[in-house]
Structure formats: structure tokens, C-alpha cells
């Protein structure tokens, strides 16, 4: 049918099992996992898989097909949306760059989660002080005692007095 293919070539698939296979290999390598470790993680995610299956997905001729349950488990294990797992790998990033980006993304989410925890803890202490105003000085002293650094303790107690970390 006219318009299905560009002149002289095939239309590249945005999503394909080949893309998933390439992404599985790439994401596994970025994380430094062996094929055995990936298979164990997929199995722990609820879909039985062995090392041979991972190898055949990545390297087999013909390539091992991936069923929907496996694709969802791989998506969960790699912490990627299924659509991203199915997309072609980005060109222009070598393995070291991908590892650095992966590390930065993980650190970002850890820092965000830590900020959220800090905020909730500070709000809880501020609420406690409102209910028990006489405890304010002892709480400030305990912060200093536990933190050891006066400047850090002042920052934390200032956040408490302001009623939140954000």
C-alpha cells in the first residue's frame, strides 16, 4: 500500500521484541548484572526465568520470544515503564555514560525520598512542640547532642521552628 514504507526501505518499528532484547542486554550490563542474576530477579518479581532464557532473549538465533508477563517483570526489575523497555536504545551513550546516568537517577530518587522523610519528621516534631511548648528547649538540645555540629543542629531546629523542611 502506498505510504506504508519510505522510498527504498522498511519502516523502522518504534516498538519491537528486538528493541526489548537490546534494552534487556543494555539495562542488565548497565547495572553490572549477569544473565543469572537477571533471571533470579525476574523470578523474584513473579515470573520464572532461567539464565538460558535471558541469554536466548539477548543473543539467540532465532531470538527467544518474550511474553507479556515476562515483559512486565523485566519492566519492574529494571524500574522502567514498559513503553521505555520496548523503545529502541538511545544512540550516542556508551555503557559508562549510561551507568553514570543510572547512578545519578538512583541518587536523585534517594535524595527526594530522604527530603520527604525529613520533612515529615520535622512537621511531626513541630506539631509535638505546639502540643507541648515546654519541650522546645530540650528538643533543640537533643538535636545538638545527636548531630554534634552546631550549625547543622541550628539548621534543623530552624526548620522545626518554621514548621517544615520545604
Amino acid at each position: 500500500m502506498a505510504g506504508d514504507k519510505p522510498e527504498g526501505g522498511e519502516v523502522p518499528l518504534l516498538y519491537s521484541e528486538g528493541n526489548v532484547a537490546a534494552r534487556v542486554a543494555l539495562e542488565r550490563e548497565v547495572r553490572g548484572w549477569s544473565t543469572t542474576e537477571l533471571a533470579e530477579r525476574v523470578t523474584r518479581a513473579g515470573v520464572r526465568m532461567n539464565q538460558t532464557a535471558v541469554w536466548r532473549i539477548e543473543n539467540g538465533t532465532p531470538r527467544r520470544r518474550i511474553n507479556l508477563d515476562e515483559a512486565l517483570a523485566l519492566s519492574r526489575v529494571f524500574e522502567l515503564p514498559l513503553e521505555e523497555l520496548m523503545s529502541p536504545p538511545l544512540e550516542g551513550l556508551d555503557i559508562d555514560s549510561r551507568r553514570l546516568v543510572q547512578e545519578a537517577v538512583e541518587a536523585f530518587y534517594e535524595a527526594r525520598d530522604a527530603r520527604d522523610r525529613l520533612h515529615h519528621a520535622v512537621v511531626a516534631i513541630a506539631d509535638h512542640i505546639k502540643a507541648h511548648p515546654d519541650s522546645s528547649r530540650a528538643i533543640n538540645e537533643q538535636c545538638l547532642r545527636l548531630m554534634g555540629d552546631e550549625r547543622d543542629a541550628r539548621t534543623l531546629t530552624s526548620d522545626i521552628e518554621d514548621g517544615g523542611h520545604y
Side-chain angles (χ1 to χ4, degrees):
M1 189 181 240
D4 284 350
K5 289 194 228 177
E7 186 86 18
E10 291 190 21
V11 175
L13 293 175
L14 181 57
Y15 305 115
S16 73
E17 282 188 333
N19 289 340
V20 176
R23 285 302 294 268
V24 166
L26 177 70
E27 298 298 335
R28 180 183 60 73
E29 290 172 11
V30 164
R31 290 161 177 77
W33 299 344
S34 67
T35 52
T36 301
E37 184 172 357
L38 176 56
E40 290 170 355
R41 288 173 181 265
V42 170
T43 299
R44 282 195 305 270
V47 178
R48 292 183 57 101
M49 186 173 283
N50 60 37
Q51 178 273 334
T52 303
V54 173
W55 188 91
R56 288 183 56 223
I57 288 168
E58 294 180 8
N59 305 296
T61 306
R63 180 180 294 114
R64 182 185 176 281
R65 301 208 50 151
I66 302 164
N67 67 42
L68 181 58
D69 289 340
E70 291 168 339
L72 291 169
L74 288 163
S75 176
R76 186 176 309 128
V77 165
F78 291 133
E79 297 178 340
L80 293 173
L82 185 57
E83 184 173 324
E84 178 68 18
L85 182 67
M86 295 173 9
S87 299
L90 292 174
E91 293 182 17
L93 283 179
D94 63 12
I95 253 332
D96 290 331
S97 298
R98 289 176 188 275
R99 281 190 181 121
L100 292 170
V101 170
Q102 179 71 28
E103 185 178 329
V105 167
E106 289 171 4
F108 172 85
Y109 286 122
E110 289 169 5
R112 183 195 64 190
D113 293 346
R115 281 191 307 271
D116 288 347
R117 260 188 40 238
L118 175 59
H119 175 73
H120 291 296
V122 165
V123 167
I125 294 170
D127 290 345
H128 178 82
I129 290 173
K130 285 179 188 168
H132 306 91
D134 293 342
S135 67
S136 179
R137 181 179 171 157
I139 286 173
N140 289 340
E141 288 175 13
Q142 182 66 1
C143 287
L144 178 59
R145 193 175 304 143
L146 291 174
M147 296 179 86
D149 183 288
E150 189 172 337
R151 186 174 27 184
D152 288 345
R154 267 198 313 263
T155 300
L156 179 59
T157 56
S158 174
D159 287 347
I160 292 168
E161 290 167 5
D162 293 342
H165 176 65
Y166 297 131

